[in-house]
Amino acid sequence: MSSSLDYESPVSTPPGGRTPRPNRLGVTSWRSSLAGSAVRQAAAAGAVRRRLELVVVLVAMAALYLWNLSANGWANAFYSAAAQAGSQNWEAFFFGSSDAANSITVDKPPASLWITAVSVRVFGLSSWSILIPEILMGMATAWILYLAVRRAVRPATGSETAAHRAGLLAAVVLALTPVAALMFRFNNPDALLVLLMTAAAYATVRSVQDAKARWIVLAGVLLGLGFLTKQLQVLLVVPGFALAYVWAAPHGLGRRLLHLLAALGAMIVAAGWWIAAVELTPASARPFIGGSQTNSILELTFGYNGFGRLDGSEVGSVGGGNGWGQTGLMRLFSDSFGGQIAWLLPSALLVGAAVLWAGRRAPRTDPVRASVILWGSWVLVTGLTFSLAAGIIHEYYSVALAPGIAALVGIGGGILWQRRRARFEAAALAAGVLASGLMGALLMGRATGFLAWLPPVLVVAGILAALGVLAPAFGARLAPRWVAWAPRTTAALALVASLAGPFAFTVQTVSTPHTGAIVSAGPSSGFGFGGRGGFNPGLGQAQRQFGQGGAAAPQGFGQTGGTGPGGTGPGGTSQSGLGGGRGGAGGLLGASTPSSGLTAALQNDASAYTWAAAVVGSNNAAGYQLASGLPVMALGGFNGTDPSPTLAEFQQLVAQKRIHWFIPASIMGGSSGSNAAAQIAAWVQANYTAQTIGGATVYQLG
């Protein structure tokens, strides 16, 4: 495969390749001028058409993701409450506090919260003001992915049209990946993380092609911001970026290494300024760092959100051991993960490897090879890490694989399609198409009762498309009269085989409400963290009771002071997993909606107190905070195991009349960590009188 072709210049010569010649007076003939003008007009029309097609794809993506958006309510109330807090208080905004009074932060850096908090500050608190930015991030990711893939395919094919179609294919694959449709309509940090990593990939690709160091430095800045979004996870793409640049950048080895050092420095500065600010701020002048045991952002980075995710040693985790599912190379193809991301994973790796082999003799600086190395390493390193991680892992994390898979499909599909008359390229593309049809049929078959007629269609479409791809190269041996489908028919069959399955899962995803801390895409797959095959810790097994009173919750789950485990309205229902609604796990993973009577009690005389209430667990606190619009202290952080506040600190706050109410709850606490929240609950029960407001048991402290 030759990739030495320069970008196609659509206005360079008229048809036939001849340049208009001037006459003796130095004036080109009117016929030559007319021909050149026609070429320019055709090129301009082609450019306009390509832009319109891209706009259509992005608008269709937006329309699909906007459909039924309000059904998600607060989505992840944990982050919605933090966005509300950040919109009310600049200190809460900067640190990513759970409440506007700055008791404790969320267990991630605040970059994603900065965006939603600004939206809430500008447009007011609503489900739409929180979730629309996520959809915009998805559209931006698809657009940047299109640009990156187009840049890779154009020099290999010499065709602007082929490059454009490859970019569109990548954008469509991303948009129709079920877990992408889930997370670009949800307010977890993953949407921003994926956008920043994709933008960094584009900057790296452009740096290789344009020989401009500023682009690789920009990639470092974007990765640093990704660190402020979800910490060490962003580092999974760094090896591939560095390998692609040091291999293919058109500079001497020394300069390439210096450029990478500059990018590393930019990444450290982009992430380090906030880390340093938090570490240098006295603990008494900032909120407690949620997710840590020592009030340290460094401990959070390297412990709970770092190496603990790899070996299962996170303090406060409710899983541990095999609680988060069996590790192994096939995890991404399992019942729980497969429907989220695995539809085109084998095909992406296959066509990516084929492009590398076909271009094995290309120069070192070949931009196509560099792009495949970048995206392929992204998929391999991230996929292996997710497959082998023994700690906390959720199926929706797999959205981080979506851009890499989509890019490989776009690059490999675009280049191999253009070269399908060559036998190797045709065989590789046919194998990729067939693999997508078979994988789609397998994954669809696991969703019992969901479009049972579709798996056979995918298999047949995959076989016919593979034969159509093979026909130009092997037609003489494959009875061309019945396999030589027209190119458009072959392409249509290939798209059906590859995308009909994920499209069906995506439509089901956007048409179903998703709320809570753990969600998954596609048809409901039963009880468990993230769906079929997920972590089921045993009902009530790890239950911690924080206070007494109130009606007994079903299945051993504790009363959260609302309308039930899932409640009603925003934050009260879930498609699958443990986020409220079906299989809701009390207040650990989903926020309930308090009654109007309890909300009024929280708001009564609220100006006299710093916190309207205190309740164990961040999701419990989020439900009350979002309903009342007032700061609610989350005792113990996300799952009640952080030492914030201690019993002595809580007693001092109560003595200072800074907390109005204590609301008892029971959540599925972690197997390790601080017991301060339980001590606080016991102290309140022993020293204050319980009362019932709106069906919920509460204690008045003020």
Side-chain angles (χ1 to χ4, degrees), residues 643-656 659 675-677 679-680 683:
S644 172
T646 64
L647 175 59
E649 291 169 340
F650 186 83
Q651 290 172 333
Q652 183 179 7
L653 292 172
V654 172
Q656 295 171 349
I659 305 174
N675 200 37
Q679 297 174 4
I680 291 171
W683 176 77

Side-chain angles (χ1 to χ4, degrees), residues 33-117:
S33 298
L34 184 60
S37 176
V39 170
R40 287 190 294 271
Q41 290 177 2
V48 171
R49 184 184 66 253
R50 289 190 291 270
R51 293 190 186 99
L52 288 176
E53 290 173 351
L54 175 61
V55 169
V56 167
V57 167
L58 296 179
V59 170
M61 179 183 183
L64 178 63
Y65 286 8
L66 283 168
W67 181 29
N68 200 39
L69 182 65
S70 60
N72 285 354
W74 297 124
N76 192 333
F78 175 54
Y79 292 118
S80 293
Q84 176 199 39
S87 72
Q88 296 173 341
N89 180 275
W90 286 114
E91 182 181 345
F93 177 90
F94 180 81
F95 289 106
S97 300
S98 291
D99 64 89
N102 294 294
S103 169
I104 192 170
T105 71
V106 299
D107 57 4
K108 299 290 186 296
S112 64
L113 295 176
W114 291 340
I115 296 175
T116 51

Side-chain angles (χ1 to χ4, degrees), residues 5 21 138 145 168 243 288 355 370 406 409 438 474 515 523 543 670:
L5 293 174
R21 294 183 178 180
L145 184 66
L168 286 184
L243 178 60
F288 187 93
V355 171
V409 170
L438 296 177
F474 298 90
T515 64
Q543 199 73 9

Side-chain angles (χ1 to χ4, degrees), residues 68-75 127 131 182 185-186 512-515 570-571:
N68 200 39
L69 182 65
S70 60
N72 285 354
W74 297 124
S127 173
L131 298 182
L182 173 71
R185 292 162 38 91
F186 209 75
T512 306
H514 292 80
T515 64

